[in-house]
Amino acid sequence: MYQYDAFDQRLVEERAAQFRDQVVRRIDGRLTEDEFKPLRLQNGLYMQLHAYMLRIAIPYGLLSSTQMRALAEITREYDKGYAHWTTRQNLQLNWPRLEDVPKILEALAKVQMHAIQTSGNCIRNITSDPYAGVAADEVADPRPYCELLRQWSTFHPEFAFLPRKFKFAVTGGAEDRAAIAVHDIGIRVVRNDAGELGFSFLVGGGQGRTPLIAPVIREFVPELDLVSYAEAVLRTYNRLGRRDNKYKARIKILVKQEGPEAFARQVDEEHARIKDGPLKLTREDVDAFRRFFRPPIYEVLPDDEPALAGALLGKQRGFSRWFAQNVVEHRQPGYAIVNLSCKSKDLPPGDVTADQMDAVADLADRYSFGGVVVTHRQNLVFTDVRKRDLPALYAELLEHGFATPNFGKLTDIICCPGLDYCALANARSISVAAELTARFDELSQVYDVGDLHLNISGCINACGHHHVGHIGILGIDKNGVEHYQLMLGGSSGTDASLGRVLGRALTHDEVAPAVERVVLAYLSLRATDEEPFLETYRRLGPMPFKEAVYEPHHA
Amino acid sequence: MSLITRDPERGARLVEDDPWIELDTDAPLPAAGDVVVPMARLAGVGDVPGRLGVRVDGSTDPEALVAALPRLSLIVVELPKFTDGRAYSLARLLRDRHGYDGSLRAVGHVLRDQLFFLYRCGFDTFDLAAGKDVDDALKAFEDFSITYQPAEDHDQPIWRRRRA
């Protein structure tokens, strides 16, 4: 993974010192709250319902075991012993005290981490494919490009005060595991007909109150133009994006109003002027970044591991189920990708305790070259586990609460913190997730429900990605009472689509039974046992589901 | 109001006497001195007694200034709110694309914690918002000794400087 050099190290230390000074000036009154707010936001510090919330950046979700231990220590010392993985592959602390934040930043800086630009109207943490570097379908590892963009965007002097927040996602896989179509800029690594590497740029996607699938504005940006092209997009947006209405300030609105072609022309015009300037990359530049992401030194192993085959045939049905659900093919023979589920009955989706973090660090060291990836679905991944180690790893994951066999399934719920924490929320989301988890835990063991993404947001800002859940749930306020809209048919994958509202909003208690009726309807309607929910929905449309939910006595 | 300037040779300092005289749309030209006129008056302004400056805001299209650039010694950019980032792109376009090498002055809601970025985008003079501590502000340029991306202060991205 990327290793800081003296430059990077000094930068995060200077950032910690700068923020320490800003906090002093806020406390002694030299900075007003209005003046302090954008500064603390650019450092990931929000004022929530009950306390501050600090969002720590995890570039493209990648952590070393050392970093994970430091996060555990910070969570224990400065918070209540638990934290939360976010849908942007970051970590949130829910209860830090303002005066402790400089100390937290210093502790982070010691392990090459920070909270820079995890909030505010600037370029946010860049997200990527959790299987980057090991996915079988990869054109090229996206992480060197993510790191290049991270460095380019860190304290970019021109883009610190954009009209609105700005999110990049980069994927190198044929299958989109980074939801690039619902980002401000989604970048797909591609090869052109001549076999050269480059990028397809999608611009203007997003969720929130105006969900949009990003159009491709340029099919092929040459590899060495990556940064200059990004700068051209940002400059065009910074100049022309709306600033009069925060709900119309995202780049998606600009792209929609101008039209993708007209927007692309303006970007191209700007790009033509700067592409051969200082931002033009050289082969050496890119290679220097690539070297940080070389694969680990794998053992030469047989792919059909007898120990694994034995375990799968054994009496432990739990292991077989977990293997089928949570373990994914690796491109290196004898290795596997293991998804650690952070969705269990014991904690809200995406929450993690400090002790669990320590356990993950230890397991990463022993089973996966000391690395772990945070995913946008709020789980963790060990990317390089020997197949022969899977039974032993499973036993340990089980002990630490990471072995729920639900990866990509109904109870692998994406969920925002909702009204329990968030100042923006209209409704609770964690309690809905808890009810659904309780209700479906057994059902999904009885039936093979297959891939089914259930996403819950407590408000229209869509932190829980409800628009792109196969089943999405949105908390709304209806005359002061929390209600929930049910939407079906969304997807954040390669075939990205936005869910459609099924019918009238439901009360808190109606949600779980309604989702259950949707799932039971699907099970009776699917063409084969293998047909996933999304396909059934796309084949039949909303009507049978609508009837099942709203007129169950007819069904 | 306190005017601060910074240049690579002499660093950051307070400007004691500002020679520029701000004129509104109809004020007559003075007999002597350097004048700043509003954008609306720029096209119509004839000979001026001293140097000429113009006052714009972040929404100004730099193309609209191109014809006048050779005459201009000062461009004053108004920041209505410190969170309005258009001034930063305007400054870079004036410097980088149009080669403007006169003075660029940020006025309006100009606060200490934006000075570092404003300077990097090509501003050299800063009219600090009323009531703000000048000594604090003068320190702002020291916030970071490392910058990752090329801007108007240098053209070496960090990945190239690492190999230097």
Side-chain angles (χ1 to χ4, degrees):
Chain A
M1 67 188 286
Y2 184 72
Q3 298 293 323
Y4 279 16
D5 65 7
F7 289 115
D8 302 305
Q9 190 60 40
R10 205 186 316 158
L11 188 87
V12 292
E13 286 167 9
E14 288 174 350
R15 170 51 150 188
Q18 181 197 39
F19 193 70
R20 177 179 284 279
D21 180 55
Q22 287 169 349
V23 170
V24 168
R25 284 187 280 129
R26 172 69 197 107
I27 290 172
D28 72 20
R30 276 178 286 168
L31 277 173
T32 66
E33 180 54 26
D34 280 352
E35 290 165 355
F36 181 58
K37 187 178 171 189
L39 305 179
R40 65 168 163 76
L41 286 179
Q42 301 226 346
N43 207 21
L45 192 63
Y46 282 78
M47 180 78 91
Q48 289 293 33
L49 282 179
H50 313 292
Y52 280 106
M53 178 272 276
L54 179 66
R55 188 179 291 151
I56 296 164
I58 303 175
Y60 33 94
L62 186 57
L63 285 172
S64 69
S65 55
T66 307
Q67 291 172 325
M68 184 67 95
R69 283 192 191 92
L71 292 175
E73 188 54 37
I74 288 168
T75 300
R76 208 173 272 124
E77 174 147 6
Y78 298 107
D79 207 311
K80 299 185 176 182
Y82 66 94
H84 180 74
W85 308 118
T86 79
T87 53
R88 300 269 315 142
Q89 299 179 293
N90 290 320
L91 184 75
Q92 283 177 190
L93 298 176
N94 296 303
W95 310 97
R97 299 184 318 153
L98 178 61
E99 52 272 38
D100 285 339
V101 174
K103 285 184 266 181
I104 297 174
L105 296 185
E106 280 157 23
L108 289 171
K110 286 189 186 132
V111 290
Q112 312 193 346
M113 295 188 77
H114 58 75
I116 296 166
Q117 290 168 211
T118 51
S119 175
N121 294 336
C122 51
I123 300 170
R124 304 287 191 87
N125 185 42
I126 290 160
T127 56
S128 190
D129 180 357
Y131 302 163
V134 295
D137 64 350
E138 201 162 79
V139 175
D141 188 341
R143 295 171 302 176
Y145 307 116
C146 292
E147 180 56 31
L148 251 168
L149 289 169
R150 184 191 76 83
Q151 296 188 14
W152 160 76
S153 62
T154 297
F155 297 134
H156 196 303
E158 186 180 344
F159 306 134
F161 298 101
L162 295 169
R164 200 76 178 83
K165 59 187 167 183
F166 204 94
K167 300 173 180 178
F168 278 74
V170 187
T171 185
E175 186 189 334
D176 179 6
R177 287 171 292 262
I180 64 167
V182 287
H183 281 76
D184 296 285
I185 291 185
I187 297 174
R188 183 191 296 284
V189 186
V190 292
R191 273 188 202 281
N192 65 8
D193 294 341
E196 298 157 329
L197 276 178
F199 309 94
S200 173
F201 262 71
L202 286 70
V203 179
Q207 303 190 56
R209 70 184 62 214
T210 314
L212 286 166
I213 299 292
V216 174
I217 67 154
R218 188 139 149 207
E219 295 283 355
F220 190 80
V221 174
E223 186 185 24
L224 303 181
D225 286 356
L226 172 66
V227 182
S228 60
Y229 195 77
E231 179 136 316
V233 174
L234 266 294
R235 182 167 297 151
T236 304
Y237 168 55
N238 192 37
R239 292 188 55 222
L240 303 177
R242 283 181 63 170
R243 290 173 186 271
D244 58 328
N245 179 343
K246 73 181 261 194
Y247 301 121
K248 299 194 185 299
R250 294 288 288 270
I251 195 172
K252 62 192 173 187
I253 305 291
L254 178 65
V255 173
K256 190 164 184 248
Q257 276 171 354
E258 304 258 316
E261 296 80 14
F263 179 79
R265 266 198 306 280
Q266 297 185 73
V267 172
D268 283 344
E269 202 175 291
E270 178 62 30
H271 185 234
R273 294 171 190 263
I274 62 172
K275 74 188 180 72
D276 296 318
L279 289 175
K280 179 88 172 188
L281 298 169
T282 65
R283 181 66 35 219
E284 261 185 299
D285 294 334
V286 177
D287 286 347
F289 281 90
R290 281 224 181 94
R291 277 195 287 276
F292 286 107
F293 299 95
R294 279 193 289 229
I297 299 171
Y298 294 116
E299 288 172 49
V300 179
L301 296 169
D303 204 34
D304 48 348
E305 178 59 58
L308 174 60
L312 288 171
L313 288 171
K315 288 192 197 126
Q316 249 207 352
R317 280 190 49 236
F319 176 74
S320 310
R321 186 180 294 125
W322 172 81
F323 177 82
Q325 310 281 40
N326 291 24
V327 179
V328 175
E329 230 14 71
H330 198 288
R331 63 185 178 208
Q332 179 71 21
Y335 282 82
I337 301 169
V338 175
N339 288 283
L340 280 63
S341 174
C342 297
K343 316 294 174 61
S344 72
K345 281 184 289 188
D346 306 322
L347 286 171
D351 272 21
V352 61
T353 68
D355 292 347
Q356 281 184 312
M357 289 156 97
D358 276 334
V360 167
D362 175 50
L363 295 175
D365 280 339
R366 288 192 285 123
Y367 292 102
S368 194
F369 296 96
V372 57
V373 183
V374 182
T375 80
H376 90 269
R377 295 197 58 84
Q378 303 177 289
N379 292 310
L380 300 173
V381 177
F382 286 159
T383 51
D384 300 286
V385 179
R386 288 183 302 199
K387 283 185 175 172
R388 72 160 67 125
D389 291 339
L390 288 172
L393 174 60
Y394 171 69
E396 299 205 52
L397 291 177
L398 203 56
E399 184 189 331
H400 296 292
F402 291 112
T404 318
N406 62 351
F407 175 68
K409 309 293 174 193
L410 196 48
T411 55
D412 183 7
I413 297 170
I414 292 185
C415 183
C416 72
L419 198 53
D420 293 300
Y421 293 96
C422 179
L424 300 172
N426 290 322
R428 286 170 294 162
S429 45
I430 293 173
S431 60
V432 174
E435 275 187 38
L436 289 167
T437 300
R439 189 172 283 252
F440 287 115
D441 204 39
E442 276 176 40
L443 185 84
S444 51
Q445 299 203 10
V446 177
Y447 299 98
D448 180 13
V449 178
D451 280 344
L452 214 175
H453 294 175
L454 181 58
N455 298 356
I456 307 172
S457 303
C459 81
I460 199 161
N461 292 300
C463 296
H465 293 191
H466 61 273
H467 296 297
V468 292
H470 302 162
I471 299 177
I473 295 169
L474 164 65
I476 57 171
D477 177 288
K478 213 167 147 184
N479 306 321
V481 181
E482 53 188 1
H483 277 72
Y484 297 85
Q485 280 180 348
L486 196 56
M487 42 189 87
L488 303 184
S491 165
S492 66
T494 316
D495 56 350
S497 59
L498 300 168
R500 286 173 53 194
V501 177
L502 191 65
R504 72 164 172 83
L506 306 164
T507 64
H508 189 278
D509 293 344
E510 286 174 327
V511 175
V515 173
E516 181 167 7
R517 287 199 288 275
V518 169
V519 174
L520 292 173
Y522 151 68
L523 290 171
S524 69
L525 292 164
R526 62 184 175 182
T528 67
D529 284 357
E530 279 73 46
E531 186 179 67
F533 173 83
L534 194 58
E535 256 176 57
T536 308
Y537 177 82
R538 284 177 176 171
R539 186 166 56 78
L540 297 174
M543 278 320 288
F545 298 98
K546 195 168 178 165
E547 278 171 22
V549 169
Y550 297 102
E551 299 161 57
H553 44 286
H554 293 300
Chain B
M1 102 181 182
S2 319
L3 198 61
I4 288 172
T5 188
R6 186 196 184 197
D7 61 67
E9 284 76 39
R10 296 174 60 199
R13 62 195 184 280
L14 197 62
V15 176
E16 299 291 352
D17 47 342
D18 178 22
W20 291 94
I21 303 162
E22 287 257 3
L23 298 182
D24 63 21
T25 321
D26 330 297
L29 286 173
D34 302 328
V35 296
V36 181
V37 298
M39 183 68 189
R41 194 172 167 176
L42 182 63
V45 76
D47 286 339
V48 290
R51 293 177 298 169
L52 176 64
V54 67
R55 187 184 178 99
V56 301
D57 64 39
S59 69
T60 303
D61 184 350
E63 303 293 334
L65 283 168
V66 170
L69 281 184
R71 296 182 67 199
L72 291 171
S73 301
L74 175 70
I75 299 174
V76 177
V77 184
E78 163 97 27
L79 279 84
K81 281 186 301 189
F82 79 87
T83 50
D84 187 337
R86 291 175 296 184
Y88 299 78
S89 285
L90 174 61
R92 290 205 67 189
L93 287 169
L94 288 170
R95 293 283 191 215
D96 197 51
R97 184 188 289 186
H98 301 296
Y100 173 68
D101 64 357
S103 183
L104 259 177
R105 177 180 297 188
V107 304
H109 200 204
V110 177
L111 304 178
R112 180 229 185 274
D113 292 284
Q114 284 70 55
L115 298 181
F116 189 87
F117 289 163
L118 287 167
Y119 176 76
R120 294 209 65 212
C121 288
F123 286 95
D124 54 70
T125 321
F126 314 88
D127 193 355
L128 202 61
K132 292 296 164 186
D133 187 323
V134 179
D135 292 327
D136 253 1
L138 287 171
K139 282 186 264 175
F141 302 99
E142 317 295 317
D143 279 355
F144 294 101
S145 61
I146 305 286
T147 51
Y148 278 177
Q149 49 302 93
E152 300 314 311
D153 52 343
H154 68 77
D155 62 1
Q156 289 293 299
I158 189 74
W159 46 86
R160 220 153 291 148
R161 282 199 277 168
R162 289 198 166 105
R163 294 204 304 275

